[in-house]
């Protein structure tokens, strides 16, 4: 079992899931890195790292690739492209990936959160989703979503998720930390 103080959480600091994960990680003594770019408002700035245009460009993916992976289109505005580029940095730096949102019938996750989950799948990372309608954790194992209660088991974790975090979502995050660290917490 890892000590929380030896774990780094990577996030984008958005309201909802990312904000609550960050607050919870801080309570448990984790290091936090929040990626953002100039001119973009976020709710949480602990460990803020502003990405330069050059750094952002390393996470660039064409809209055709995103459309093909997600089986749907997203706005291709410069702001949305930068948000997707930030997601690349979050997932690229954190090994184990946690998300909160909704599974769609095609197996992808709703909204921009879905791109973070797709990157995790593409990079062959352990990825876990708290599915807010089903009120349960699912993990991507052997090319399918499987019901599983995950634990934080890597030194770097990436977090993405809905801005519309439910009370059950908050509880699921709290329980994830309890399950992961109950023996090591003071």
């Amino acid at each position: 079992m890892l000590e929380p103080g030896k774990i780094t959480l990577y996030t984008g600091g958005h309201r909802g899931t990312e904000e609550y994960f960050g607050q919870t990680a801080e309570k448990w003594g984790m290091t936090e890195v929040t990626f953002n770019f100039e001119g973009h408002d976020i709710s949480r700035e602990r460990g803020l790292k502003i990405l330069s245009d050059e750094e952002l460009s390393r996470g660039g993916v064409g809209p055709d690739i995103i459309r093909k992976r997600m089986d749907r289109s997203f706005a291709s505005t410069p702001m949305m492209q930068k948000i997707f580029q930030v997601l690349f940095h979050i997932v690229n730096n954190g090994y184990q990936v946690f998300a909160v949102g909704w599974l769609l019938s095609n197996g992808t996750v709703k909204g921009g959160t879905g791109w973070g989950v797709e990157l995790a799948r593409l990079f062959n990372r352990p990825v876990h989703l708290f599915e807010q309608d089903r009120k349960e954790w699912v993990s991507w194992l052997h090319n399918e979503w499987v019901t599983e209660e995950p634990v934080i088991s890597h030194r770097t974790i990436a977090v993405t998720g809905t801005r519309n975090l439910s009370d059950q979502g908050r509880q699921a995050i709290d329980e994830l930390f309890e399950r992961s660290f109950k023996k090591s917490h003071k």
Side-chain angles (χ1 to χ4, degrees):
M1 182 179 292
L2 291 174
E3 296 282 330
K6 295 182 179 177
I7 298 171
T8 301
L9 171 103
Y10 293 92
T11 181
H14 290 111
R15 178 178 48 82
T17 300
E18 296 172 22
E19 179 181 32
Y20 194 76
F21 248 103
Q23 291 167 349
T24 307
E26 184 175 12
K27 285 180 198 169
W28 283 85
M30 284 184 181
T31 300
E32 186 175 354
V33 176
T34 303
F35 288 115
N36 198 15
F37 54 91
E38 287 295 333
H40 185 235
D41 290 331
I42 55 176
S43 295
R44 187 163 175 82
E45 296 185 348
R46 182 170 173 251
L48 183 62
K49 163 78 170 111
I50 298 292
L51 297 168
S52 68
D53 288 342
E54 181 182 329
E55 289 169 318
L56 281 168
S57 71
R58 291 185 206 130
V61 177
D64 291 342
I65 293 171
I66 294 172
R67 187 172 26 258
K68 184 175 182 178
R69 291 282 310 185
M70 304 290 289
D71 196 25
R72 61 186 181 274
S73 296
F74 287 91
S76 58
T77 63
M79 176 69 78
M80 198 67 203
Q81 289 173 349
K82 286 181 179 182
I83 290 169
F84 283 154
Q85 290 167 334
V86 167
L87 278 166
F88 166 83
H89 287 275
I90 293 166
V91 174
N92 194 46
N93 280 279
Y95 182 73
Q96 189 177 22
V97 179
F98 293 92
V100 176
W102 297 272
L103 272 177
L104 300 177
S105 61
N106 67 0
T108 64
V109 176
K110 182 179 178 180
T113 300
W115 183 240
V117 170
E118 282 306 301
L119 284 171
R121 289 170 34 172
L122 188 64
F123 297 169
N124 204 25
R125 303 285 172 84
V127 60
H128 315 281
L129 170 75
F130 182 75
E131 213 294 340
Q132 290 202 126
D133 283 343
R134 290 169 41 179
K135 298 175 181 59
E136 67 181 3
W137 285 101
V138 293
S139 298
W140 184 252
L141 298 169
H142 310 293
N143 294 316
E144 66 179 329
W145 290 107
V146 177
T147 302
E148 176 186 66
E149 284 196 337
V151 295
I152 298 169
S153 58
H154 294 274
R155 292 189 185 279
T156 59
I157 62 173
V159 171
T160 185
T162 179
R163 293 172 190 253
N164 300 310
L165 183 63
S166 67
D167 289 340
Q168 292 89 355
R170 283 181 196 81
Q171 181 179 345
I173 292 166
D174 290 338
E175 290 171 357
L176 169 67
F177 278 79
E178 287 289 332
R179 224 180 10 261
S180 301
F181 306 122
K182 61 185 170 199
K183 291 180 184 171
S184 66
H185 191 55
K186 298 173 187 170

